[in-house]
Amino acid sequence: MSGKQHNSIVVRVAVPTPLRRAFDYSVATTQPITPGTRVRVPFGRGHHVGVVLASGVTPSIAPARIKPITEILDDQPLFDAATMALLHWTARYYHHPVGEVAQTMLPVSLRRAKALGATGNTAYALSNEGLAVDAATLSRAPRQARIYTKLLEAGATGLTRADLEARDPGCGGAIRALIQKGLVQKKSHEIAVLPPLPTAALPALNDAQQTAVDTIDAKHGQFGAFVLDGVTGSGKTEVYLALAERAINRGLQVLLLVPEIGLTPQIIARVRQRLTATLVLLHSGLADGARASAWLAAAKGSGQVVLGTRSAIFTPLPRPGLIIVDEEHDLSYKQQDGLRYSARDLALVRAKVAAVPVVLGSATPSLETLWNIRQGRFNALKLTARAGGASLPTVELIDIRTRLMDGHLSPALLDAMHTTLKAGQQVLLFVNRRGFAPALLCHECGEVCECSRCDAKLVVHRASQRLRCHHCGLERLLPKHCPHCDSAHLRPVGLGTERLEDELINHFPGTNLARIDRDTTRRRGQLEASLEEARRGCTKILIGTQMLAKGHHFPGVTLVAILDADSGLFSADFRASERLAQLIVQVAGRAGRTKRPGRVLIQTHQPHHPLLVALRAGTYADFAAAALTEREAAMLPPLNALGLIRAEAPKADLAMDFLTAAKAVAQAAASTVSILGPVPAPMERRQGRFRAQLLLQSNSRPVLQRLLTTCIDNIAALREARKVRWSLDVDPQDMS
Ligand code: ADP
Ligand code: ZN
Ligand code: ZN
């Protein structure tokens, strides 16, 4: 006698709650429910949407206490077996509550309790008649008029039912009325699936590209990890596309991940022109309904290519054939809150589960990836020359010590700019800081304006007359007098893009220049418009931050200068030099991408700094080899594994007390893992909260994992945990 009733079964459900376990419910059926199916369950005082992990289980609590589920939401499971395997792996490796992992893996609309047909993935758009009428004809039906206006703004892609409902709850009747009047039409269910565009002429692959394609393709149908280590402009994307074509010809799907700011109209157009395949886009810019439709389309197999940013790694694919991670070193692949996963690392897990090859591409592979190559876990394929006959740019350091500068521009740089512009070519100037200046200093008392909530200086934004904290978003009017001594002698110190723009307008009056950073590209479509102007050569001088560093192809740029390289040379973060080297190489990679050779100038007060010398004289590979040796000597990642427990609280003591208690729990496990701290975080105060951290370090990943498995539930159960916000970051990337 198990106590089980004959007409019901028990299912184990991943419910989104910080509690670190799954929950049992009964279902009045004798049919098992396939894992991956969503169910609505009572939880606490409310209801949650959970994902079934197992069906027909022996209950873990007294049968009398088992509650029935409220509703089965899907006829077919949303997660297939491979996605379930990924769910379990992710929860285990990141030691994150399984219900929260399942929720993170689902698009927002599907986290809600709606059966699939009603997720709102039906889209509506104005019909031709609708476009022709005057909105005034609807003045007597205000609700219809509102929807009409929304759809007019949305244009041809239209809006999904969910989008419309979100703005105007209960608008179904009004939509029906508009359809009856012939002003609005229902669009196909899968607006998320883009058809291919007319084919563009494709270049014949060069030998190195062909070898890469053949080597990787030889592994089709099996797991294999490949690194496509190709200098900027070496034709990595062409390799991805050729491989994708082969997978598609076999009837398989391709998952292509790109960094957050790498999902540009160019890559989308390139995929659509080169591949006779349907494309599904998945990124954070999509409205919830559109995103859910895209996700479902991919999961149903209708998208042959799935192109997306970090979270696209969780999209179920019924017929996976290939996974590609472009710019694998990019920090945006690591989620920095909640479930702190690395999409790059999960790509390997997925590829293994699905038995398909995975390709990690970069001109500047992460040290982790280079280490995996050395260990024989990944196969490296190199593209050492630029495709199409372009040569790599030369790199020169401009020693600006004691040099008389014109604002922030050295005479040598100004000279080079004049020459380049006279020859009708373009210049790109890089500063890794938006705003006018990174600090406002009082010349009389020496005080610097700081954020009241963070340990950070406020950044001067002159155009908007504001001081802003780039960490918490705090804003203040730009003061006219020092808040400490009331002096009027306030001085912006340091260089931001806005200031550089000012200086350049003075030096090159009448020259067409554009600043591209987060401040100038807030409006939708603005970034694309600016990039297009630059590509066509209209813009002569480009000023930009990180946004301009990656992936873009500006045929007319032959001179690139990095103005503030020094700021990255002395960071406390052991990864800072790797990041700076990647940034310099990527920025430099924008120069001379066509027939005309490119030139890179780096202004520095540290012309003998080993990092800069290495990058001038050699390649990224030389730098990386030296950096790996250093990491080895210091026993830092990738030579060992890290876990970081962070805590924050309104009072510093609370955070430290929790971490001290957590440390005691870890020490009791008597593992060989070293436990360092707790110490205040490098940025101790942020948004008014005190932050501290405890570092766990081991030369064996399994040993670290075992310790975490043993301790994490006990740490979560600590009394001190209730007074803080805490998290565990496995393989932390940003230690600030
Ligand atoms: P990456 O992804 O390595 O930066 P891309 O694939 O974008 O490089 O290629 C850089 C440029 O070279 C693009 O304009 C591309 O069309 C061109 N290209 C790539 N491969 C070839 C080739 N085999 N022959 C001629 N041009 C090529
Ligand atoms: Zn002062
Ligand atoms: Zn702040």
Side-chain angles (χ1 to χ4, degrees), residues 201-207 209 228 230-241 267 270 326-327 362-363 383 385-390 551-553 586 589-590 593-594:
L202 28 141
L205 297 182
N206 60 35
D207 288 349
Q209 286 172 317
L228 188 59
V231 297
T232 52
S234 58
K236 292 184 290 297
T237 311
E238 289 301 327
V239 171
Y240 306 151
L241 294 172
I267 182 72
R270 246 171 118 179
D326 187 29
E327 309 288 359
S362 178
L383 306 178
R386 280 189 161 175
H552 302 297
H553 186 54
Q586 297 285 349
R590 301 312 112 211
R593 288 171 67 95
T594 47

Side-chain angles (χ1 to χ4, degrees), residues 581-629:
Q582 287 164 343
L583 192 60
I584 291 177
V585 173
Q586 297 285 349
V587 177
R590 301 312 112 211
R593 288 171 67 95
T594 47
K595 295 282 184 280
R596 286 183 300 266
R599 192 174 169 205
V600 179
L601 302 177
I602 301 176
Q603 290 195 155
T604 178
H605 283 99
Q606 310 289 330
H608 304 297
H609 192 285
L611 171 69
L612 296 180
V613 172
L615 288 177
R616 190 203 53 202
T619 60
Y620 177 78
D622 299 326
F623 155 78
L628 265 180
T629 308

